[in-house]
Amino acid sequence: MASNVYRNGTGSHKGATRPLAASNSSNVKSTSFKSRIPPSNHSPGSAPLRRSNSAGGSDGVPGRVRVAVRLRPRNAEESVADADFADCVELQPELKRLKLRKNNWDSETYEFDEVLTEFASQKRVYEVVAKPVVESVLDGYNGTVMAYGQTGTGKTFTLGRLGEEDTSARGIMVRSMEEILANVSPETDSVSVSYLQLYMESIQDLLDPANDNISIVEDPKTGDVSLPGATHVEVRDERDFMELLRTGEAHRIAANTKLNTESSRSHAILMVHVKRSVLGAEDVIPSETDKSSHFAKPPKPLVRKSKLVLVDLAGSERVHKSGSEGHMLEEAKSINLSLSALGKCINALAENSAHVPVRDSKLTRLLRDSFGGTARTSLIVTIGPSPRHRGETTSTILFGQRAMKVENMLRIKEEFDYKSLSRKLEIHLDKLIAENERQQKVFDDEVERINLEALNRVSEVERNFAGALEKERLKCQMEYMESVKKLEEKMIENQQKHGCDGFMQDKCNGEGPGSSIVEDVAEVKKLLEKEIHMRKEAQEEVNKLKSQLGQCPDSGEGGGSEILKLQKALADEVRQKKKLEEEMIILRSQMLQLTFEADQMRRCLGRNGSANAYGGLDSPMSQVRGSLNGHKTPVAALFEQVGLQKILALLESEDANVRIHAVKVVANLAAEEANQERIVEAGGLTSLLVLLRSYEDENIRRVVAGAIANLAMNETNQELIMIQGGINLLSVTASRAEDPQTLRMVAGAIANLCGNDKLQTKLRSEGGIKALLGMARCGQPDVLSQVARGIANFAKCESRASTNGIKSGRSVLIDDGALPWIVQNANNDSSPIRRHIELALCHLAQHEVNAKDMISGGALWELVRISRDCSREDIRSLARRTLNLSPIFRAEMRRLRIEV
Ligand code: ADP
Ligand code: MG
């Protein structure tokens, strides 16, 4: 027997590792009990279930079953019956020892966790036996408080007294409940109670006596035992609970026995289910004001479910001693079935036996967590003092001793509270949704405000800018007009002062070549500088606008249209800027023009104003070119400054004024051989031809024709002019022209083309010859001179072709009816005309095929005159030689008796 170890207190502590001190500690996580039997020593197959379903998954804390012994005072009957005998036990509470007297001279000593004398108050009993268990239950552990003992020793007194008449008499059930209710929170926690009795191996619901066969259900996974059929009553306050206990008590079957008429033979089981919500520190839900943590880790609420089981066992006395009869005997057997099964289980656990017969009775099945399980368990064994019951008392003490060896493994049952988590998340989500809606509204308002502000700013900038631009434009126009007016006035003044003839001499200034023109140039330069300054300002304004646009916050969809508007405004600005640039180029070209004119004037003055600027024989622009050669630097500088491309671009300007200036500049530039190639390369020729084709304006046509005439001095350009339909354009221009200057330019251009051997056929087929002859109608000497030059050039080429055998047959000039005009003007007063025609006649006369026509057209007389009177010796002898070489001419001369 295990109790032998403690017998007589001798050597009883040797080898015992169990500390004797009781622990009043309420901290269930640090127990003062040391495990005597390591959990691993239990065989997995037979050891009571070690549950591990706690959410934390932490290992349990070892917790031995604590056992206290309580001695009932002598009752009235004992006081009489045992008056002459001493009590069978002697208590040493300070040593936590109990001496069991065997006889007057022999006793056995036992140690318990607590030894409670007959004077121990109910309060002290509660604090020593039950309070640590209740506190564990509040912390989430399961707990058991069980009273074991012979009938009449005070089990019900200890556990179940209600203490209605005397509150100090309240038993463990009432006090436990008080403590639980005082510590739970009604908002988050819940407490419910089942009250059952186990009687003759059937479980009856004391809260619903009709329900008398409740079955035990075990979770196969966790081994958890539950009674789903039992009534669970939620308890909110002490009153509820007292009412509940009273109801249960009323239903409790109490069978009388000989030993104590009040004692019960059933096992009464009160189950208190505690459910508490707990939150880890890191899982605190963000407060409403803490907006920054909206997206923090969601809270992780946990729920701890624990169960306090209070068991008031039926009397432990042996059946033969109960004196029961009839069915009462059966009853006693059944009562003792559960009790003896409990005893066997505790023995097995105490001895670390391989097999624990938990399943032998309903009581052991119900208490499987209390002994060898995860619960904190306190057992109170009650004994009476009477020596007459020494046997029962001994067996009770030994039961207690064995129970002290049972080691439990305490574990918290904690699980995620998904319901509460979901509820909390829902609330949190709703809060976030509301907050989001609020913020969205604020955002929308802000976007609207920004849109409005942007709109206002854009329109304000537009207004300001349009105003400023218009002002600038007007100012420029005024200044431009002013300067033009001034220039014109000066020109008239000069004209009046000198009365010079001709286009160039009109501009001559008797005061000297420099002063007035220099002033003009200086003025234009000043204007130009002003323009440049204004352009800079406009550019700055544009940049400012751009940066303002850049600063405008992105205002969503509304902003898109704003940006479009601004872009439009910007495009307008760019257009305005282009216009300003054009105006600048015009001014520059005017300056260029003026520089040319100044050059001309200097030349005029240099030649005492006698030269005719455009009267050159070879080219209408020869004078200009000549002047250019003398003063190349300032012109070249201006040319470089403006840029050829820009000037050519201006040829297509919508402004007629600009166009004509541009053409003039191009014409002047084309007069210089060095520029011709560049102009053609840059597409200048094509542009000029386009102008000729598309503009009726004779001013433009005149200047364009002049430019083409200059370009037509170059053989390559002549071909290009032809290829691009230039001859036809020039013919049309000639036919419509009224101004002799226009005709002079066109005739000059065609005359240049006439000197190209390769172009003979095309020139004729495209009506060039006819156009040339047609221009003679105006009778203006300058024009006639160009016509004559053209005919001479053509005749020369034709003659060359005939000599080389490329051409045969009569002269095209004769075919096209040029002969009468040639004959008519052969003796023209103007020497340039006369000379060109004389040469033409000589060329024609060199070919016999033309002779007959020439004779009939009267050309022979002119040839004879040339051979006699021409001032130029070379032409005179050419004519003579030609006449003598031609048999037809000679025959005709013989017939007419003419000698050369
Ligand atoms: P059990 O439930 O073990 O059969 P009870 O609790 O019914 O025993 O007690 C039997 C009698 O003894 C009752 O009258 C009870 O009041 C009395 N009694 C039991 N324990 C004590 C005690 N510690 N002090 C005073 N009276 C007691
Ligand atoms: Mg009782």
Side-chain angles (χ1 to χ4, degrees):
M1 272 180 69
S3 60
N4 287 344
V5 176
Y6 306 111
R7 187 169 297 181
N8 293 330
T10 53
S12 60
H13 295 128
K14 282 187 182 149
T17 55
R18 169 168 54 88
L20 301 176
S23 170
N24 285 330
S25 168
S26 62
N27 183 359
V28 295
K29 284 175 187 168
S30 62
T31 174
S32 58
F33 300 127
K34 289 262 158 63
S35 173
R36 232 155 63 91
I37 308 157
S40 56
N41 288 351
H42 289 281
S43 149
S46 60
L49 189 76
R50 299 278 189 222
R51 284 180 291 182
S52 178
N53 60 343
S54 74
S58 60
D59 287 332
V61 190
R64 184 177 55 75
V65 171
R66 293 178 71 230
V67 181
V69 62
R70 186 181 195 184
L71 176 66
R72 172 177 55 73
R74 285 187 181 206
N75 58 27
E77 189 260 333
E78 284 164 344
S79 298
V80 177
D82 301 330
D84 299 331
F85 304 97
D87 285 352
C88 69
V89 290
E90 184 192 326
L91 303 185
Q92 295 176 310
E94 65 286 349
L95 296 173
K96 300 187 193 299
R97 282 183 189 169
L98 175 149
K99 274 187 179 171
L100 180 65
R101 272 190 249 275
K102 287 169 95 178
N103 46 50
N104 283 341
W105 59 91
D106 196 10
S107 67
E108 278 176 4
T109 302
Y110 299 93
E111 290 184 15
F112 284 91
D113 292 310
E114 283 297 335
V115 170
L116 300 160
T117 65
E118 63 269 43
F119 308 111
S121 67
Q122 290 282 75
K123 185 172 192 271
R124 190 168 133 63
V125 172
Y126 168 74
E127 278 171 357
V128 165
V129 175
K131 192 176 166 82
V133 179
V134 171
E135 283 170 345
S136 283
V137 169
L138 284 167
D139 282 341
Y141 297 90
N142 281 346
T144 311
V145 178
M146 190 168 79
Y148 180 94
Q150 193 184 357
T151 299
T153 50
K155 298 186 291 297
T156 305
F157 182 90
T158 302
L159 277 176
R161 283 206 54 180
L162 300 183
E164 282 166 308
E165 60 294 333
D166 174 10
T167 49
S168 72
R170 288 169 298 153
I172 286 173
M173 284 181 178
V174 176
R175 287 175 195 266
S176 299
M177 200 48 140
E178 275 172 8
E179 178 134 20
I180 288 171
L181 288 173
N183 283 285
V184 296
S185 151
E187 289 87 34
T188 56
D189 308 336
S190 74
V191 180
S192 68
V193 166
S194 308
Y195 199 12
L196 312 147
Q197 81 170 348
L198 177 59
Y199 180 62
M200 288 180 74
E201 286 307 282
S202 66
I203 299 170
Q204 188 181 7
D205 193 340
L206 286 180
L207 303 177
D208 177 16
N211 192 8
D212 61 359
N213 196 16
I214 294 169
S215 50
I216 301 170
V217 175
E218 282 161 64
D219 185 326
K221 272 190 205 155
T222 62
D224 271 338
V225 173
S226 62
L227 302 167
T231 308
H232 283 247
V233 177
E234 182 128 4
V235 176
R236 288 203 173 73
D237 53 37
E238 213 181 315
R239 254 206 325 226
D240 282 359
F241 180 64
M242 296 294 268
E243 188 55 44
L244 208 130
L245 279 187
R246 270 195 292 270
T247 312
E249 213 51 47
H251 294 137
R252 194 171 174 193
I253 298 169
N256 290 331
T257 67
K258 257 196 236 169
L259 292 174
N260 190 320
T261 51
E262 286 179 48
S263 285
S264 160
R265 286 149 157 205
S266 64
H267 308 286
I269 304 157
L270 183 79
M271 285 184 174
V272 183
H273 303 272
V274 180
K275 200 159 95 182
R276 304 191 75 185
S277 290
V278 283
L279 286 176
E282 76 276 23
D283 296 321
V284 171
I285 289 191
S287 70
E288 269 175 77
T289 48
D290 184 13
K291 285 178 180 133
S292 63
S293 58
H294 281 320
F295 303 104
K297 203 171 130 196
K300 194 177 76 179
L302 298 172
V303 64
R304 285 182 182 168
K305 288 179 181 170
S306 54
K307 187 166 70 178
L308 175 65
V309 183
L310 302 171
V311 188
D312 182 1
L313 291 170
S316 60
E317 62 277 4
R318 282 192 215 111
V319 115
H320 67 267
K321 267 207 154 188
S322 66
S324 303
E325 287 165 9
H327 98 275
M328 295 294 265
L329 182 67
E330 285 305 304
E331 186 186 82
K333 272 185 189 163
S334 278
I335 291 165
N336 278 2
L337 172 75
S338 271
L339 270 184
S340 61
L342 179 65
K344 281 178 197 162
C345 283
I346 285 172
N347 282 347
L349 287 166
E351 285 158 21
N352 197 15
S353 163
H355 178 68
V356 182
V358 175
R359 303 198 64 82
D360 282 6
S361 75
K362 287 202 169 154
L363 182 67
T364 47
R365 283 171 68 198
L366 276 175
L367 295 177
R368 67 180 303 159
D369 195 42
S370 307
F371 293 93
T374 67
R376 178 179 286 277
T377 298
S378 248
L379 174 69
I380 183 161
V381 294
T382 53
I383 51 171
S386 172
R388 287 175 287 147
H389 301 302
R390 183 182 287 113
E392 292 302 336
T393 302
T394 305
S395 105
T396 300
I397 285 167
L398 293 179
F399 179 86
Q401 287 289 300
R402 284 192 295 277
M404 280 176 82
K405 294 179 186 171
V406 177
E407 192 81 35
N408 286 358
M409 188 57 73
L410 275 53
R411 280 201 185 88
I412 285 182
K413 279 141 208 81
E414 203 170 55
E415 54 190 51
F416 290 120
D417 185 359
Y418 290 107
K419 261 193 205 163
S420 128
L421 178 64
S422 143
R423 200 169 52 245
K424 275 174 188 157
L425 284 179
E426 228 163 68
I427 291 166
H428 191 52
L429 187 69
D430 278 344
K431 271 184 198 162
L432 289 181
I433 287 169
E435 180 59 27
N436 183 42
E437 202 180 1
R438 264 196 298 280
Q439 282 181 3
Q440 184 64 45
K441 176 84 179 72
V442 170
F443 178 76
D444 287 348
D445 288 354
E446 184 64 9
V447 165
E448 202 172 311
R449 191 187 65 72
I450 289 169
N451 265 346
L452 213 73
E453 200 181 293
L455 213 69
N456 289 340
R457 274 169 69 180
V458 166
S459 55
E460 191 188 314
V461 167
E462 267 176 2
R463 257 199 320 277
N464 289 348
F465 194 72
L469 208 73
E470 183 58 25
K471 244 195 220 158
E472 282 304 317
R473 205 179 62 77
L474 283 174
K475 210 169 123 196
C476 281
Q477 255 179 6
M478 288 293 289
E479 280 170 1
Y480 174 66
M481 303 276 279
E482 201 70 13
S483 56
V484 167
K485 213 170 115 193
K486 267 189 198 161
L487 280 172
E488 275 173 357
E489 277 168 15
K490 281 216 173 110
M491 264 160 75
I492 290 162
E493 204 179 305
N494 286 342
Q495 256 177 353
Q496 283 168 353
K497 268 188 190 162
H498 301 287
C500 292
D501 294 332
F503 173 62
M504 285 327 305
Q505 280 163 334
D506 284 351
K507 292 185 177 68
C508 290
N509 188 331
E511 286 166 16
S515 66
S516 166
I517 292 298
V518 166
E519 273 171 30
D520 287 351
V521 169
E523 200 158 331
V524 173
K525 267 188 180 160
K526 239 160 78 191
L527 277 175
L528 193 68
E529 272 160 21
K530 238 185 209 168
E531 268 319 314
I532 290 167
H533 181 67
M534 284 190 306
R535 186 183 154 193
K536 242 190 215 158
E537 277 179 354
Q539 186 64 49
E540 274 166 17
E541 188 67 21
V542 168
N543 287 344
K544 222 164 84 189
L545 266 178
K546 272 183 186 168
S547 76
Q548 276 177 355
L549 267 180
Q551 280 162 12
C552 275
D554 183 11
S555 47
E557 285 172 34
S561 72
E562 288 317 308
I563 286 163
L564 278 179
K565 268 189 194 168
L566 284 174
Q567 278 175 343
K568 219 179 125 216
L570 209 65
D572 284 347
E573 289 319 316
V574 171
R575 264 202 297 285
Q576 294 283 4
K577 189 184 148 201
K578 214 174 147 194
K579 219 167 156 192
L580 279 174
E581 278 176 352
E582 275 184 17
E583 281 177 19
M584 273 172 62
I585 293 168
I586 292 164
L587 281 171
R588 278 183 174 144
S589 67
Q590 280 178 340
M591 199 163 156
L592 201 61
Q593 197 70 19
L594 277 168
T595 312
F596 274 120
E597 284 163 11
D599 290 339
Q600 288 290 336
M601 231 178 290
R602 279 194 204 96
R603 279 187 68 81
C604 285
L605 291 165
R607 286 194 242 140
N608 297 324
S610 61
N612 184 339
Y614 281 88
L617 179 68
D618 298 318
S619 161
M621 293 296 176
S622 58
Q623 295 286 336
V624 178
R625 192 169 73 233
S627 70
L628 270 167
N629 290 338
H631 303 272
K632 205 171 170 180
T633 320
V635 178
L638 276 167
F639 178 48
E640 290 304 326
Q641 203 180 340
V642 177
L644 181 58
Q645 281 297 351
K646 278 189 180 166
I647 295 170
L648 290 178
L650 288 178
L651 290 177
E652 283 152 37
S653 168
E654 281 164 24
D655 190 331
N657 215 16
V658 175
R659 275 198 310 273
I660 194 136
H661 274 299
V663 177
K664 273 185 190 172
V665 172
V666 173
N668 281 330
L669 290 169
E672 197 182 3
E673 238 173 288
N675 295 333
Q676 286 172 359
E677 206 182 325
R678 285 175 62 190
I679 292 168
V680 173
E681 261 174 21
L685 177 60
T686 312
S687 301
L688 289 168
L689 289 170
V690 167
L691 281 176
L692 213 53
R693 187 178 290 127
S694 31
Y695 288 100
E696 291 291 332
D697 182 88
E698 200 172 333
N699 286 329
I700 288 184
R701 287 181 164 213
R702 183 180 61 245
V703 188
V704 169
I708 292 173
N710 279 344
L711 292 174
M713 289 188 291
N714 172 304
E715 205 180 326
T716 317
N717 293 348
Q718 287 164 2
E719 285 171 34
L720 284 171
I721 291 166
M722 270 298 202
I723 289 164
Q724 294 182 35
I727 194 68
N728 185 36
L729 285 170
L730 287 168
S731 303
V732 172
T733 308
S735 69
R736 291 184 190 164
E738 277 163 23
D739 184 352
Q741 286 303 322
T742 312
L743 291 170
R744 184 171 75 110
M745 298 299 174
V746 175
I750 295 177
N752 281 344
L753 298 174
C754 285
N756 190 321
D757 290 302
K758 293 179 204 160
L759 305 179
Q760 294 288 295
T761 320
K762 247 193 159 183
L763 196 61
R764 191 221 166 186
S765 65
E766 288 185 13
I769 305 301
K770 287 212 166 123
L772 197 63
L773 290 169
M775 282 186 278
R777 71 181 185 276
C778 88
Q780 218 272 339
D782 283 344
V783 180
L784 295 183
S785 166
Q786 293 304 327
V787 173
R789 186 168 69 90
I791 285 171
N793 277 347
F794 194 87
K796 190 170 91 189
C797 291
E798 205 181 37
S799 167
R800 233 180 346 239
S802 297
T803 309
N804 295 337
I806 297 163
K807 187 192 180 307
S808 59
R810 204 167 63 163
S811 165
V812 167
L813 290 171
I814 296 169
D815 284 350
D816 279 1
L819 199 57
W821 183 83
I822 293 171
V823 172
Q824 200 185 326
N825 290 282
N827 199 14
N828 195 297
D829 288 342
S830 158
S831 64
I833 302 170
R834 199 167 61 242
R835 211 163 301 132
H836 285 310
I837 291 181
E838 283 168 349
L839 272 171
L841 280 170
C842 288
H843 289 308
L844 286 171
Q846 277 169 21
H847 302 283
E848 277 301 272
V849 279
N850 299 328
K852 272 187 185 165
D853 291 290
M854 287 183 84
I855 291 166
S856 61
L860 180 61
W861 293 110
E862 290 306 321
L863 280 166
V864 170
R865 184 192 58 76
I866 293 163
S867 68
R868 287 177 184 166
D869 298 335
C870 182
S871 58
R872 272 174 61 173
E873 164 64 39
D874 55 340
I875 297 174
R876 229 170 33 233
S877 59
L878 178 66
R880 202 166 31 241
R881 210 167 48 239
T882 308
L883 286 173
N884 283 330
L885 278 171
S886 163
I888 294 171
F889 280 134
R890 267 190 289 135
E892 182 64 10
M893 283 193 295
R894 264 199 307 276
R895 194 179 69 80
L896 296 171
R897 296 171 199 278
I898 301 169
E899 284 247 358
V900 288

